């Protein structure tokens, strides 16, 4: 099990009520399941629209169960942004 940091941006930060929090998980799916348990409600809905970076790399369309997390890593939770 790896330990690292999840950072929330924009609407995800607002819904979580925090800018970041620790994770202890093997995969992105496990980390996001724990986030949903800690922050039921609005954040769960926001996460459905988010994209994710794991240690700076876009997750894209990969299944979250296949995205391994590294010790000391960072998951960025990025809601859609307006503009361009």
């Amino acid at each position: 099990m790896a330990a690292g940091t999840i950072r929330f941006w924009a609407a995800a930060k607002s819904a979580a009520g925090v800018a970041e929090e620790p994770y202890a998980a093997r995969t992105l799916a496990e980390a996001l399941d724990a986030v949903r348990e800690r922050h039921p409600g609005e954040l769960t809905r926001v996460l459905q629209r988010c994209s994710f970076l794991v240690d700076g790399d876009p997750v894209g369309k990969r299944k979250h169960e296949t995205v391994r997390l590294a010790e000391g890593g960072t998951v960025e939770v990025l809601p859609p942004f307006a503009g361009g």
Side-chain angles (χ1 to χ4, degrees):
M1 181 133 347
T5 302
I6 296 178
R7 291 188 184 138
F8 301 102
W9 296 96
K13 179 179 173 181
S14 178
V18 297
E20 63 182 49
E21 63 186 30
Y23 71 72
R26 288 181 286 278
T27 66
L28 179 58
E30 289 177 9
L32 293 176
D33 285 345
V35 166
R36 288 183 193 96
E37 287 180 26
R38 286 191 300 273
H39 307 281
E42 182 62 22
L43 183 57
T44 297
R45 289 184 287 280
V46 170
L47 289 175
Q48 294 172 353
R49 301 184 313 269
C50 289
S51 58
F52 304 94
L53 298 177
V54 174
D55 297 330
D57 294 325
V59 171
K61 297 193 183 283
R62 288 183 286 161
K63 293 183 185 231
H64 295 169
E65 299 82 18
T66 68
V67 179
R68 306 294 287 169
L69 300 179
E71 182 69 29
T74 302
V75 175
E76 308 278 350
V77 180
L78 306 168
F81 292 91

